[in-house]
Amino acid sequence: MDSQLSGGFLKHTLFPPKIFTPNSITLSNGVIVSHNAIGVVEITPPESDKAIVISSGIHGDETAPIELVDDLVSSILDEAFQPTSRLLLIIAHPDAIHAHTRFIEENLNRLFADTNPLRNKECELANNLQEQVQVFFKKGTEEPWHFDLHSAIRASEHYMFGVVPASTQATDIRPLVSFLKASHMDAVMLSRTPSSTFSWYSAEKFGALAATFEMGRVARLYENNMEEFKPLRDALVALLCGETLPAPPTEKGFSNYKVTRTITKTSDAFNLAFSDDAANFTYFAEGEQLAEENGTVYSAIAGGEAVVFPNSKVAIGQRAALLVQPFEPNLSEPLYVNVERDPGPVAFS
């Protein structure tokens, strides 16, 4: 076993040596494990049909995803399963993990639009991660996937859900929706406008089947009940190994949402009309006030809207809330998440 990883991927990421040297080992099953950078491990099997990025730690206090990625790396090193996909496994922001905070100076998950000026640690991390992902996807021609794993900072009407970014790529996301169902997610939310999140970067630049996963609530490292996420882990292992995905649960339903609007904070005068700790997917009937800023009032549209990720304390120019409505996609036809268009059978590219 690689001595750098003998104590665990997470331990090395949090307590790296002063001088890091990338290195690779070949396991007895022929899988190559490459420790490319602090917090970045690449897995190369003898043959592969997919190229999958699984990232965690973009926000340092969202620890269940970090523990899950650490467990996947350990299981591969122990040869508990043999992937048939090339993998890039990431624990992104050790400084924020140590501080148990979302970020140190700037929200890392808003920095994946392009190369950033080096004004802080988050900009440097985003640039390095974009380069790692670019090199990884360009190495081969396999089907690209990206799961960016997060945990919510608030309660939610749906404990686990996926957010699929909108892109200009003509990528049919039905396989991704099937995976969400197999991993016992409660809902999927389809975006409408481009963003600068990590999952959007892979979807837009490489046509990846990409989503941001919300896994429960934030907690201290090693204080998560990882049994809650066993169905997700089982589905990931099946996908990584080219096996049939587990059957979706029959005891609960699966909800589909599309984003109707994004509310952006443009001044310090912005205020939500409800408590900042309102649960994700809290519903507001038509006409109910949602927010106000310098005389502009935002109210729920016809049919009502549910609010997701409300946060009045974001920086000016950033998203203060997403508003969504339920819908039922026709899964007998391709499903595209189009920039500024309703999700539907015609890709805008």
Side-chain angles (χ1 to χ4, degrees), residues 8 10 19 34 41 63 67 88 137 174 179 183 191 210 227 247-248 265 302 319 327:
L10 176 56
I19 299 175
S34 301
V41 168
T63 57
E67 293 183 44
L88 195 68
F137 281 137
R174 286 180 296 175
F179 178 85
S183 58
S191 301
E227 279 298 308
K265 177 179 178 177
R319 180 192 71 202
F327 84 115

Side-chain angles (χ1 to χ4, degrees), residues 7-247:
F9 179 35
L10 176 56
K11 182 179 178 181
H12 182 276
T13 302
L14 292 178
F15 305 100
K18 290 184 178 180
I19 299 175
F20 172 80
T21 303
N23 70 331
S24 297
I25 60 168
T26 301
L27 304 179
S28 65
N29 56 16
V31 172
I32 300 171
V33 179
S34 301
H35 200 175
N36 293 348
I38 295 170
V40 181
V41 168
E42 183 174 351
I43 308 296
T44 307
E47 296 183 359
S48 59
D49 56 355
K50 295 180 178 65
I52 303 175
V53 177
I54 306 176
S55 52
S56 68
I58 295 296
H59 294 140
D61 58 350
E62 300 173 4
T63 57
I66 296 165
E67 293 183 44
L68 176 57
V69 168
D70 183 45
D71 174 60
L72 290 173
V73 172
S74 294
S75 295
I76 292 169
L77 286 169
D78 292 342
E79 301 186 24
F81 65 85
Q82 181 173 339
T84 59
S85 299
R86 284 195 304 116
L87 309 176
L88 195 68
L89 298 158
I90 296 170
I91 299 175
H93 201 337
D95 288 350
I97 298 170
H98 278 298
H100 192 67
T101 186
R102 283 170 65 77
F103 51 88
I104 304 300
E105 294 185 56
E106 190 170 355
N107 187 347
L108 177 57
N109 209 29
R110 297 293 180 272
L111 297 174
F112 292 96
D114 208 341
T115 303
N116 298 282
L118 299 180
R119 59 180 175 265
N120 54 48
K121 180 68 173 181
E122 279 83 11
C123 290
E124 181 183 350
L125 281 170
N127 292 348
N128 291 340
L129 291 171
Q130 288 177 98
E131 182 179 358
Q132 290 280 351
V133 168
Q134 180 180 23
V135 170
F136 174 74
F137 281 137
K138 287 188 174 181
K139 279 184 179 178
T141 59
E142 305 99 329
E143 183 179 61
W145 292 62
H146 185 174
F147 304 130
D148 187 31
L149 309 183
H150 289 254
S151 300
I153 60 175
R154 65 184 64 251
S156 180
E157 298 297 324
H158 299 297
Y159 190 66
M160 296 178 61
F161 60 96
V163 182
V164 181
S167 78
T168 59
Q169 296 273 6
T171 304
D172 182 2
I173 67 160
R174 286 180 296 175
L176 181 56
V177 174
S178 294
F179 178 85
L180 290 169
K181 292 178 178 178
S183 58
H184 292 209
M185 288 281 178
D186 301 308
V188 65
M189 185 173 76
L190 307 187
S191 301
R192 293 279 295 281
T193 55
S195 63
S196 52
T197 63
F198 201 10
S199 63
W200 171 85
Y201 175 78
S202 294
E204 177 64 24
K205 304 298 184 182
F206 307 105
L209 287 158
T212 300
F213 284 17
E214 296 292 340
M215 296 170 52
R217 295 288 298 277
V218 295
R220 289 279 178 181
L221 198 61
Y222 302 120
E223 293 182 4
N224 298 283
N225 177 9
M226 297 306 292
E227 279 298 308
E228 293 181 330
F229 311 112
K230 186 178 183 299
L232 172 58
R233 186 191 188 281
D234 290 345
L236 282 171
V237 171
L239 183 72
L240 305 187
C241 295
E243 299 171 353
T244 301
L245 292 176

Side-chain angles (χ1 to χ4, degrees), residues 229-276:
F229 311 112
K230 186 178 183 299
L232 172 58
R233 186 191 188 281
D234 290 345
L236 282 171
V237 171
L239 183 72
L240 305 187
C241 295
E243 299 171 353
T244 301
L245 292 176
T250 57
E251 67 275 11
K252 68 175 184 177
F254 183 83
S255 299
N256 301 276
Y257 294 89
K258 59 182 177 181
V259 173
T260 53
R261 294 181 289 165
T262 300
I263 298 179
T264 301
K265 177 179 178 177
T266 61
S267 80
D268 287 330
F270 180 86
N271 287 293
L272 294 170
F274 49 87
S275 171
D276 246 358

